[in-house]
Amino acid sequence: MLDLDIRGFFDAIDRGWLGKFVEHRIADRRVVRLIQRWLNAGVLEDGTRRGSETGTPQGGSISPLLANVYLHYTFDLGTELRERLAKFGLERPPEKSRLREFGPYAAANRQRAGQGKPETFTLLGFAHICGKKRNGRFTVVRQTIRRRLQAKLREVKAELRRRMHVPIPVVGAWLRMVVGGHPRYYGVPMNGPALGTFRFHVGRLWYRTLRRRGQRRRLTWERMRRLIERWLPPARICHPYPLRRLGVVT
């Protein structure tokens, strides 16, 4: 596995090449013009519009999709990586690039070489780990990155403080959306413990916030448990295994 970073990726995207890549797959000129307007629209920062003639606007609604399209043609279809990226205006910092051994044979190869367990890598909010299924076959274990989980809990804590004196049903309805929406992204197979941890800590933060409300200091954990069961959805896996979704065997 190649672990690399691209310097200033979103700002370095060449719109000329991007237009050609989009037109290669999309024949409808109306859609192409709409994408061009998105690129030229710029972004709002503190109520002020900021435009740019290069790259894709960070924070733009279509930027992640266009970034994947650009990488498909410049990276996925490339062979000599450095020359390929340079052709399309991208630069790979050598100090942030290295090969990692990852996959079905990584554990055995590293054990024979006396190098310990296979390395992990992080991508899109998940730590990717070489693991095994119950039948002993290789699988990629994806777990929520710890700092992402902690950052989200800090956001919930700050918002609970702000809503400290809001009625419980209103706060409960909001927390239901937070806890219910979390697994929509992170609810992948074998990530159940992290989902349960998130739900537990949200309930704990809510409990501590309610105890700070005047006479609510007498709130018992038994009553709090009933509130948690009433308002916080149970942690559950929302996404299937890749084998079921894509019909592939690794």
Side-chain angles (χ1 to χ4, degrees):
M1 185 201 70
L2 177 62
D3 184 3
L4 62 86
D5 185 28
I6 297 177
R7 182 175 285 120
F9 172 61
F10 286 92
D11 295 329
I13 288 179
D14 187 305
R15 290 188 181 179
W17 279 113
L18 179 60
K20 294 179 181 179
F21 298 154
V22 171
E23 292 173 356
H24 182 257
R25 291 298 183 95
I26 300 177
D28 192 332
R29 295 297 305 171
R30 294 171 298 177
V31 176
V32 176
R33 286 196 298 269
L34 178 60
I35 292 175
Q36 292 172 344
R37 290 177 181 175
W38 256 321
L39 289 174
N40 296 327
V43 294
L44 285 175
E45 292 183 351
D46 299 325
T48 303
R49 178 182 175 275
R50 181 177 63 84
S52 174
E53 297 181 356
T54 61
T56 60
Q58 295 195 41
S61 58
I62 200 173
S63 293
L65 174 61
L66 294 179
N68 281 314
V69 171
Y70 201 82
L71 282 178
H72 171 72
Y73 287 95
T74 62
F75 178 69
D76 292 351
L77 300 182
T79 51
E80 297 298 326
L81 184 59
R82 182 175 300 175
E83 291 78 7
R84 178 76 178 183
L85 293 178
K87 177 181 178 181
F88 299 100
L90 303 179
E91 181 182 358
R92 174 178 63 89
E95 69 277 6
K96 293 186 177 181
S97 306
R98 65 192 184 100
L99 288 173
R100 298 174 185 264
E101 189 170 15
F102 195 91
Y105 310 107
N109 292 342
R110 291 179 65 85
Q111 186 177 11
R112 284 195 297 268
Q115 297 177 338
K117 296 181 179 180
E119 294 183 80
T120 64
F121 68 94
T122 59
L123 179 67
L124 300 176
F126 291 98
H128 293 67
I129 307 167
C130 289
K132 292 183 178 181
K133 302 177 183 178
R134 293 180 179 179
N135 59 9
R137 300 184 66 179
F138 170 80
T139 188
V140 178
V141 178
R142 291 175 291 171
Q143 296 180 349
T144 307
I145 298 176
R146 184 178 181 85
R147 65 175 181 272
R148 288 286 186 92
L149 181 63
Q150 293 174 338
K152 186 61 179 180
L153 288 173
R154 285 195 295 269
E155 292 178 9
V156 173
K157 180 179 179 180
E159 186 62 20
L160 282 172
R161 290 283 185 88
R162 193 180 70 84
R163 302 185 184 214
M164 180 180 297
H165 299 290
V166 175
I168 288 179
V170 177
V171 177
W174 169 69
L175 288 176
R176 174 186 289 165
M177 292 189 294
V178 172
V179 176
H182 188 76
R184 298 295 180 183
Y185 183 83
Y186 290 103
V188 299
M190 307 182 78
N191 195 34
L195 301 178
T197 297
F198 178 75
R199 181 179 184 269
F200 169 78
H201 283 292
V202 168
R204 183 178 62 86
L205 291 172
W206 193 16
Y207 174 60
R208 293 174 61 181
T209 301
L210 289 176
R211 285 180 63 87
R212 291 189 175 96
R213 292 174 50 174
Q215 300 301 320
R216 295 287 180 180
R217 291 184 180 277
R218 298 180 181 179
L219 178 67
T220 64
W221 180 250
E222 185 62 32
R223 186 188 173 196
M224 189 67 224
R225 186 180 291 111
R226 292 195 296 269
L227 290 176
I228 291 174
E229 294 299 323
R230 167 69 175 84
W231 293 107
L232 304 190
R236 63 186 184 91
I237 302 299
C238 296
H239 304 288
Y241 281 92
L243 177 61
R244 296 181 182 177
R245 185 173 70 250
L246 303 176
V248 298
V249 177
T250 58

